[in-house]
Amino acid sequence: MKRGWPALFIAVIILSLAALLPAFSEQPAGGGAKLPNPFGAPPTDDLDQATNLGGAVNSAASDFGPIISPDGNALYFTSDRPGGLGGQDVWVSYREGGEWGEAKNLGAPINTEDDEGPDSFSLSENALYFTACNRPGGLGKCDLYVSFNLGGRWTRPENLGAPVNTEHNESNASISSNGETLVFASDRPGGLGGTDLWYAKRGEMMKKLIPGFSTQGRWEGPANLGPGVNTSDWDGVGFLMPDNETLYFSSRGRGGSGLADIFRSSYLDGAWTEAENVGDIINTTRDDIYFTLPGSGELAYFSSDRSGGLGMEDVYSIPIPLLVPKCRMVIIRGSVSDEESGSPLAARVSVKDPATSRVVAEVESNPDSGAFQVIVELERLEIQVSEKGHSDYSEKVEIEEGENCAMLTRSIKLKPAQ
């Protein structure tokens, strides 16, 4: 799936990109270690601004497709390193003291002896959408699944079923911030060629879904995103921004800096606009396909097979201000403290879309400083802060018309509960 900074020229790109699994013979090599590298010469280009996340996250194997949890404290990615359940698995690294800790296998029931990779989070459902291949009961080689986090445990994954999944290959789901649109990659017939990006709308029954219930048959028939996005070559790993009208994706069919480049398209007047290349600050002569930006923090994350890494593909970060200098995001930065003592509080900070009442971003303020930061893309928003033992805080904000970059600072003092 938006932006802000004081007087800023922050740039934001979000591409919640995830596991291109080895189902597609035409997909970029970053889709998995099982694919041979078709490119011949080793990569030669590096972004000086990019930082390798190091050995706690990366390994000598393939590590790619990073996505960040809604609270910004967990990094999920795909890896085929030893120590997993088999094939490509979902691994997770937790932020510890501002650094990413040693990655751990997410385990069952999401991982199996076959291939899995994380795609995107649904904050409103507390759910992880992911791709799995060769799973018993699937409709095709690779299907889309969802698992809900209930009480800190992941539920048994549910196949999204027809008409989203088919006997062909579906992967890389991106769920919209309002939870009602699913963008995904598929090589099903009826597209423009190769792998295309498609979208499906949540049906009326799906809108009433209770977490843990079967999701099969509750999506409306998918539609192709059309020629503004898709080409006759490979197009995939789309990510919908929180406005649900801006899409970042990768393509091999549009030229650019190298193999697969990152592009952006907007939904205007009932169609997706002709995609524009994001530029050389991100795109290189290699495959550039897995980018994500958490709702909190100041770094974008991506994976690359560029030289100097630890393995075939590694996970990297890059400062947001180095990205495209156009933004419509709102950054909410501040602190939470006790009104009487002034002591910092570890509070839950949520931002809701008042039009739909959906939570679009949620973080916890730092227990040592009370500091927090949330990034959203809304013209109207509601800030809610809660902490056990204190009264709740709520504030509705409307961004001035024409102000496409904004920053809100808040020093929030919570009253002790009576």
Side-chain angles (χ1 to χ4, degrees), residues 95-139:
R95 195 187 299 274
E96 302 170 353
E99 302 291 335
W100 294 111
E102 194 72 27
K104 305 179 186 302
N105 190 283
L106 194 59
I110 290 179
N111 290 326
T112 69
E113 62 184 10
D114 287 303
D115 296 316
E116 294 82 24
D119 291 336
S120 64
F121 285 101
S122 172
L123 183 60
S124 59
E125 297 175 285
N126 201 20
L128 172 68
Y129 286 79
F130 68 99
T131 303
C133 297
N134 307 310
R135 186 165 290 209
L139 278 68

Side-chain angles (χ1 to χ4, degrees), residues 28-301:
K34 296 180 181 177
L35 294 179
N37 187 330
F39 310 135
T44 58
D45 45 348
D46 287 283
L47 290 181
D48 293 338
Q49 302 91 338
T51 300
N52 188 298
L53 294 196
V57 172
N58 295 313
S59 69
S62 277
D63 307 295
F64 62 96
I67 62 172
I68 308 295
S69 63
D71 64 5
N73 290 323
L75 170 71
Y76 293 78
F77 62 98
T78 305
S79 181
D80 60 359
R81 67 184 66 189
L85 276 66
Q88 295 172 339
D89 277 357
V90 180
W91 292 72
V92 59
S93 171
Y94 297 101
R95 195 187 299 274
E96 302 170 353
E99 302 291 335
W100 294 111
E102 194 72 27
K104 305 179 186 302
N105 190 283
L106 194 59
I110 290 179
N111 290 326
T112 69
E113 62 184 10
D114 287 303
D115 296 316
E116 294 82 24
D119 291 336
S120 64
F121 285 101
S122 172
L123 183 60
S124 59
E125 297 175 285
N126 201 20
L128 172 68
Y129 286 79
F130 68 99
T131 303
C133 297
N134 307 310
R135 186 165 290 209
L139 278 68
K141 184 174 182 182
C142 291
D143 282 357
L144 297 175
Y145 290 78
V146 63
S147 176
F148 301 94
N149 194 306
L150 302 179
R153 293 180 177 271
W154 293 104
T155 63
R156 181 179 179 181
E158 293 279 352
N159 188 299
L160 295 194
V164 170
N165 290 319
T166 67
E167 68 272 22
H168 302 281
N169 295 290
E170 282 74 40
S171 66
N172 306 123
S174 176
I175 188 74
S176 63
S177 63
N178 62 15
E180 297 186 4
T181 302
L182 189 77
V183 173
F184 60 96
S186 177
D187 61 354
R188 68 183 67 196
L192 277 68
T195 296
D196 278 1
L197 285 166
W198 298 71
Y199 73 95
K201 292 288 187 179
R202 197 184 291 268
E204 289 303 315
M205 288 185 64
M206 190 68 172
K207 293 178 184 179
K208 301 175 183 177
L209 174 69
I210 298 175
F213 279 33
S214 173
T215 60
Q216 295 194 22
R218 297 186 180 182
W219 291 92
E220 297 175 356
N224 191 282
L225 266 64
V229 171
N230 293 312
T231 68
S232 60
D233 206 329
W234 178 88
D235 309 283
V237 288
F239 180 81
L240 274 173
M241 294 280 277
D243 67 350
N244 302 321
E245 295 179 348
T246 305
L247 177 76
Y248 286 86
F249 69 100
S250 292
S251 175
R252 274 192 169 185
R254 295 182 170 275
S257 300
L259 300 170
D261 273 8
I262 304 292
F263 292 83
R264 177 180 53 238
S265 176
S266 300
Y267 191 74
L268 298 175
D269 301 324
W272 291 96
T273 60
E274 187 68 19
E276 57 179 326
N277 193 297
V278 172
D280 292 343
I281 189 63
I282 293 173
N283 293 316
T284 69
T285 60
R286 307 299 297 174
D287 276 318
D288 301 298
I289 43 183
Y290 301 108
F291 285 77
T292 185
L293 179 69
S296 61
E298 300 175 3
L299 297 173
Y301 295 86

